[in-house]
Amino acid sequence: MALTKTTEIGQIEIVTAYKHIQVRTDTVVKEDGVELSRSFHRHVVAPDISAENLALEHADVQTIANSGIWTQEVKDAWAAHLASSG
């Protein structure tokens, strides 16, 4: 009877006008290869993330972030939004 617990990227979505990257991480518990449970954790990556913190994200998230979705216009709009809600 072998129990295993793994984490995997379950879903990546681009959400909001500010092109936030929403990441769902699945935690899967299996016994002898049969899934017993699955739980989810979500986090959001905003356009103002530092290069150091982006480097800590999953490679797929980095690829999306570096694909050009965060144009200067998007970054400026996000910064203005933060400043106005401050």
Side-chain angles (χ1 to χ4, degrees), residues 53-79:
N53 286 337
L54 182 58
L56 300 174
E57 292 289 336
H58 187 276
D60 291 346
V61 175
Q62 292 179 41
T63 298
I64 293 168
N66 292 321
S67 71
I69 63 164
W70 290 335
T71 63
Q72 193 59 51
E73 181 181 342
V74 168
K75 291 178 183 181
D76 292 347
W78 176 240

Side-chain angles (χ1 to χ4, degrees), residues 2-86:
L3 285 176
T4 60
K5 179 179 175 181
T6 60
T7 58
E8 57 193 50
I9 298 295
Q11 189 173 43
I12 302 174
E13 301 174 295
I14 308 302
V15 296
T16 80
Y18 307 109
K19 308 295 185 194
H20 288 90
I21 303 171
Q22 180 173 262
V23 183
R24 187 187 82 197
T25 304
D26 300 3
T27 301
V28 183
V29 177
K30 293 181 180 181
E31 180 178 8
D32 296 328
V34 177
E35 186 173 315
L36 299 176
S37 70
R38 180 178 294 257
S39 60
F40 308 106
H41 171 78
R42 290 187 188 272
H43 73 278
V44 175
V45 181
D48 62 349
I49 189 171
S50 69
E52 295 81 18
N53 286 337
L54 182 58
L56 300 174
E57 292 289 336
H58 187 276
D60 291 346
V61 175
Q62 292 179 41
T63 298
I64 293 168
N66 292 321
S67 71
I69 63 164
W70 290 335
T71 63
Q72 193 59 51
E73 181 181 342
V74 168
K75 291 178 183 181
D76 292 347
W78 176 240
H81 172 75
L82 290 176
S84 69
S85 56

